[in-house]
Amino acid sequence: MISLEGLSRAFGEDLAVEGLTFQVGRGELFGLVGPDGAGKTTALRMLAGVLPPSAGKGLVCGVDVGADPELSLI
């Protein structure tokens, strides 16, 4: 259902998310945990299609969140 490979997001010189890779299958639960500023919200915004990734690939239900961000919101 969710597949990320090397997903990264930079804001200028600052890397908010670097090389995030994981998979979540249908029916599985997952969580993102970490300290403030670790990039959790940025990662979720990329998965939702709100922010485009700077690098890498993210698929949600087979939709590429970088190439078709509006489809990932449906």
Side-chain angles (χ1 to χ4, degrees):
M1 297 305 302
I2 299 173
S3 177
L4 305 182
E5 186 173 332
L7 204 67
S8 298
R9 175 62 191 197
F11 295 98
E13 297 280 324
D14 299 323
L15 276 174
V17 176
E18 182 179 14
L20 186 60
T21 300
F22 67 83
Q23 292 184 349
V24 180
R26 174 176 239 115
E28 291 183 324
L29 298 176
F30 80 103
L32 293 175
V33 294
D36 291 350
K40 301 176 299 290
T41 301
T42 300
L44 292 175
R45 286 181 177 165
M46 286 189 287
L47 285 175
V50 176
L51 282 175
S54 299
K57 187 170 188 173
L59 299 174
V60 177
C61 296
V63 176
D64 187 328
V65 298
D68 294 316
E70 284 112 19
L71 288 178
S72 68
L73 296 174
I74 296 174

